[in-house]
Amino acid sequence: MKISEILDKNRVTVSFEVFPPKQWDKIESTKETVREMCKSSPSFMSVTYGASGTQAGFTSEIACEIKNSGVTPLSHLTCLTSTRDKIHEVVGDLKENGIENILALRGDIPQGFEFPDKQYFEHAYQLVNEIKELGDFCIGGACYPEIHPESKSRVEDIEYLKQKVDCGVQFLTSQMFFDNDKFLNFYEMCRIKGIDVPIIAGIMPITNAKQIMRSIELSNCSVPKKFYRIMERFGDDAKSMKQAGIIYATEQIIDLMANGVNNIHIYTMNKPDVASAIMSGLSDIIDG
């Protein structure tokens, strides 16, 4: 099933993200993680793409496991450091395996990277156009509720975002955020600027205090004082921090739903117990 069909049902959806292993000998344990997560009945599951395409085969393998477990898969595809030929190879593999959904990403620019020739894509919208030529895929894109780190302003950021949507992106998934007001303001501005595709709110349950600085660096997001106080109080106690992180993420999701945001994406960090705990905390809300 295509993600656009799942999101078009005007109901609450909660999806998960997993990442493939770095080594092939870990593939079976990652598949077991996927099977455990599928027991929580997510609306769909996405699987990330290895840096420079090094784990492209792993991504496809995990996407197939998601599909075989009865859940719709969404395969990430990063274009910045992959040649056009590599992109064609990966998309062909996804098509052959019946994977209908691709999240088209540019990817982070490695330090000192320069585009060698026209075999490389500089922007996500170019990848979107290429995928459209290669098959009937449902294509998603990424967005930053608190401005892309390379954008000069919110206005410029949303202009580039609309460019992606106008090229054929059918839904957007946000980077993580910890302040719902930031997301809700961004959501409203997107609608004002004519971006009318579903925008999925990306939630990262912080269950380990050491995660937070890396998370901030990757997503360019701010952290409310409320969450800093949680880390200060519980950060040195692993069990307490885990429980507090799950509760904070669950409360975020409930508040978003109360404000009309029906589509949630959980960055699970490959932790089935965390995903399951959040789903349990939302069970009646999702079904209601």
Side-chain angles (χ1 to χ4, degrees):
M1 180 179 286
K2 292 184 176 178
I3 304 298
S4 56
E5 297 175 279
I6 295 172
L7 299 175
D8 194 41
K9 292 183 178 179
N10 197 29
R11 61 179 178 81
V12 170
T13 65
V14 180
S15 53
F16 298 161
E17 178 177 290
V18 295
F19 52 82
K22 294 182 179 180
Q23 291 86 30
W24 183 256
D25 61 0
K26 304 293 184 183
I27 197 78
E28 288 305 320
S29 63
T30 304
K31 286 183 178 181
E32 178 58 32
T33 294
V34 165
R35 290 191 288 270
E36 281 298 310
M37 286 193 178
C38 286
K39 292 178 182 178
S40 294
S41 301
S43 302
F44 62 89
M45 285 180 64
S46 72
V47 53
T48 62
Y49 190 71
S52 304
T54 54
Q55 299 161 29
F58 296 0
T59 297
S60 179
E61 185 83 9
I62 297 304
C64 287
E65 186 64 32
I66 293 169
K67 183 182 176 185
N68 293 338
S69 298
V71 174
T72 298
L74 168 63
S75 180
H76 290 212
L77 181 56
T78 302
C79 67
L80 184 65
T81 54
S82 292
T83 64
R84 178 174 274 101
D85 289 343
K86 180 65 176 178
I87 294 297
H88 282 223
E89 177 188 334
V90 173
V91 172
D93 185 49
L94 294 173
K95 187 175 182 179
E96 184 178 340
N97 284 288
I99 309 299
E100 300 180 286
N101 306 288
I102 298 176
L103 190 69
L105 306 166
R106 187 202 67 176
D108 298 324
I109 300 178
Q111 189 172 6
F113 179 78
E114 295 182 6
F115 294 96
D117 54 47
K118 293 181 179 180
Q119 268 279 318
Y120 291 80
F121 300 94
E122 296 184 45
H123 304 286
Y125 79 86
Q126 297 170 319
L127 176 60
V128 172
N129 288 331
E130 196 76 12
I131 294 170
K132 286 168 60 181
E133 295 293 323
L134 298 175
D136 181 25
F137 294 95
C138 175
I139 306 172
C143 58
Y144 283 75
E146 299 181 63
I147 307 179
H148 191 286
E150 297 170 28
S151 291
K152 296 177 182 178
S153 67
R154 167 60 73 203
V155 172
E156 180 186 79
D157 196 29
I158 290 184
E159 285 177 355
Y160 283 128
L161 188 59
K162 191 171 190 306
Q163 181 183 39
K164 284 197 293 187
V165 173
D166 290 344
C167 283
V169 164
Q170 294 167 272
F171 65 93
L172 296 166
T173 302
S174 86
Q175 290 286 344
M176 70 189 78
F177 59 93
F178 302 103
D179 185 338
N180 283 2
D181 286 342
K182 302 284 188 182
F183 178 84
L184 293 170
N185 290 338
F186 164 75
Y187 188 98
E188 183 178 1
M189 187 172 288
C190 285
R191 295 308 188 224
I192 290 171
K193 295 297 183 179
I195 298 174
D196 57 1
V197 299
I199 302 176
I200 306 171
I203 300 297
M204 167 74 87
I206 299 295
T207 57
N208 183 323
K210 292 180 180 179
Q211 283 181 273
I212 191 67
M213 297 313 297
R214 179 59 174 161
S215 298
I216 293 170
E217 179 184 339
L218 289 173
S219 62
N220 195 40
C221 65
S222 57
V223 179
K225 289 182 180 179
K226 175 182 177 180
F227 195 80
Y228 273 123
R229 287 195 294 269
I230 289 172
M231 288 193 298
E232 289 173 359
R233 178 71 170 82
F234 304 112
D236 293 333
D237 185 318
K239 288 184 179 181
S240 296
M241 186 63 220
K242 182 177 181 178
Q243 186 175 44
I246 289 170
I247 291 171
Y248 188 91
T250 304
E251 289 181 346
Q252 259 195 285
I253 294 169
I254 292 170
D255 180 64
L256 288 167
M257 291 179 179
N259 280 280
V261 179
N262 283 341
N263 307 123
I264 307 295
H265 190 63
I266 301 174
Y267 295 104
T268 67
M269 300 302 291
N270 287 23
K271 296 177 180 177
D273 57 331
V274 173
S276 175
I278 293 174
M279 293 297 273
S280 178
L282 297 170
S283 57
D284 291 335
I285 293 172
I286 294 172
D287 294 336

